[in-house]
Amino acid sequence: MSGSLQLCATPIGNLGDMSPRILECLQNADLIAAEDTRNSLKLLNHFGIHTPMTSYHEYNKVDKAYELISKLQEGKNIALITDAGTPAISDPGEVLVRMCIEAGITVTSLPGPCACITALTLSGLDTRRFVFEGFLPREKKEREQVLKNLENETRTFILYEAPHHLRGTLEDLAASLHEGSLRKIALCRELTKKFEEVIHTTIGSAILRYENEDPRGEYVLVIEGRDIESIRAEETARWENMSIPEHVAMYEAQGMDRKEAMKAAAADRGVSKRDIYAALEREK
Ligand code: SAM
């Protein structure tokens, strides 16, 4: 019988956040796959865990996954830990999980610290609907595309960022998002650590702040989504001064057929489709 892969969340800065269940799992596993074995050795030594360890990181994530899967198929239980936080969130664990699922291996997750959720709860922003974007791509074209997709995002969104890229990311957000400088942002750093700091501000003010101060530590940025009312107002402004035939034509130009365009125009104006039809007939 195959063993299972156990995803073990580890502290993001405070050792007190290591759960007893995860300690037990790490103790009993046949093998621990760790993103950085030197880093994890300190953590495991602190808790007196001497389970054998192997490395699983960005640069061996596919080849090593095959190796780990054959051990799992031999019946070994493997615990996966990353440098900090929940495995598979912005780290190579994602690939191992997918490959294990495809190979029919049981995967379980032992929940614990995760920087994005910790930051979201501290942001004071809307937590009911949110999007996790991880790190923005560094490659220019890809980055522009992601930023474009975020321009009108109405849900709260979360980014990870390293200190040396923070200024550039704030500038890009201010330039790309609708009314970017005015958007609320929570800059969360050193979470769960002694000098934990959450700065509630706007993107524009954060840019000014970091003109005089060097960003320090790893950051989670939680950003307010675009106000849905402003999108509605913009959409209304687009057709407000149009006649009904022009309004229908606008939707047809966007690729809708006549029936769909009439329906959309009727919904915008809060009138019936029959009214739209009558206006089109009058125009003939
Ligand atoms: N798997 C991890 C998790 O569950 O959050 C994330 C791994 S990702 C490679 C590392 C990023 O997480 C950092 O660059 C930073 O953006 C964020 N992060 C991790 N620990 C943090 C902390 N204590 N305070 C603020 N951000 C943190």
Side-chain angles (χ1 to χ4, degrees):
M1 209 177 107
S2 293
S4 66
L5 177 72
Q6 288 134 4
L7 310 178
C8 294
T10 53
I12 56 170
N14 190 322
L15 292 178
D17 292 334
M18 191 71 149
S19 85
R21 184 174 169 225
I22 289 175
L23 285 176
E24 193 185 332
C25 175
L26 293 171
Q27 186 81 59
N28 295 336
D30 296 302
L31 184 65
I32 296 175
E35 194 174 2
D36 178 340
T37 48
R38 266 192 306 180
N39 187 32
S40 295
L41 191 62
K42 286 184 222 148
L43 178 80
L44 297 179
N45 280 342
H46 176 86
F47 289 104
I49 292 170
H50 305 293
T51 307
M53 225 187 331
T54 188
S55 70
Y56 182 76
H57 51 66
E58 187 57 33
Y59 304 102
N60 69 359
K61 63 185 177 190
V62 175
D63 291 345
K64 193 60 180 266
Y66 285 115
E67 206 181 292
L68 295 175
I69 287 170
S70 48
K71 289 190 196 307
L72 287 156
Q73 283 165 338
E74 285 163 18
K76 303 264 188 285
N77 288 314
I78 300 180
L80 177 69
I81 57 178
T82 50
D83 276 352
T86 299
I89 298 297
S90 284
D91 63 44
E94 175 189 354
V95 172
L96 181 60
V97 170
R98 191 175 310 122
M99 290 176 70
C100 281
I101 292 169
E102 281 163 11
I105 306 280
T106 303
V107 182
T108 55
S109 183
L110 286 69
C114 185
C116 62
I117 295 296
T118 310
L120 177 68
T121 59
L122 294 172
S123 69
L125 298 173
D126 186 357
T127 59
R128 195 177 72 81
R129 298 169 66 244
F130 64 89
V131 195
F132 175 61
E133 283 285 340
F135 292 96
L136 284 179
R138 304 288 333 143
E139 199 275 318
K140 194 166 175 273
K141 277 246 141 54
E142 225 184 308
R143 186 175 176 96
E144 279 170 3
Q145 188 56 54
V146 173
L147 286 165
K148 181 147 189 39
N149 292 343
L150 289 173
E151 181 183 353
N152 293 314
E153 175 58 68
T154 56
R155 293 167 292 185
T156 301
F157 60 92
I158 309 171
L159 300 175
Y160 281 167
E161 197 49 284
H164 53 289
H165 291 312
L166 182 72
R167 288 189 179 111
T169 292
L170 291 172
E171 296 280 356
D172 286 352
L173 289 169
S176 314
L177 303 181
H178 180 264
E179 298 193 335
S181 301
L182 303 177
R183 277 302 172 93
K184 285 185 189 161
I185 182 170
L187 298 112
C188 309
R189 53 181 286 274
E190 302 284 278
L191 291 171
T192 75
K193 300 182 191 175
K194 188 168 173 197
F195 297 109
E196 172 175 298
E197 185 180 25
V198 182
I199 304 158
H200 298 99
T201 183
T202 59
I203 294 178
S205 301
I207 291 172
L208 293 179
R209 180 186 182 119
Y210 288 109
E211 275 174 9
N212 307 312
E213 187 183 315
D214 283 333
R216 287 221 183 92
E218 300 295 292
Y219 282 80
V220 184
L221 310 179
V222 189
I223 298 140
E224 175 187 39
R226 184 173 172 190
D227 176 21
I228 223 159
E229 287 309 319
S230 79
I231 296 183
R232 286 206 185 110
E234 208 170 77
E235 278 166 3
T236 306
R238 225 180 298 147
W239 55 260
E240 224 168 21
N241 296 322
M242 290 180 181
S243 66
I244 289 181
E246 284 168 342
H247 193 173
V248 173
M250 174 186 85
Y251 281 125
E252 285 181 317
Q254 288 171 15
M256 289 187 192
D257 64 25
R258 173 56 65 111
K259 233 172 146 185
E260 288 168 336
M262 285 170 64
K263 198 171 162 194
D268 285 345
R269 291 172 180 260
V271 298
S272 71
K273 266 195 294 177
R274 204 176 316 147
D275 293 333
I276 300 289
Y277 182 75
L280 292 175
E281 283 298 299
R282 275 199 301 277
E283 194 73 7
K284 274 187 182 167

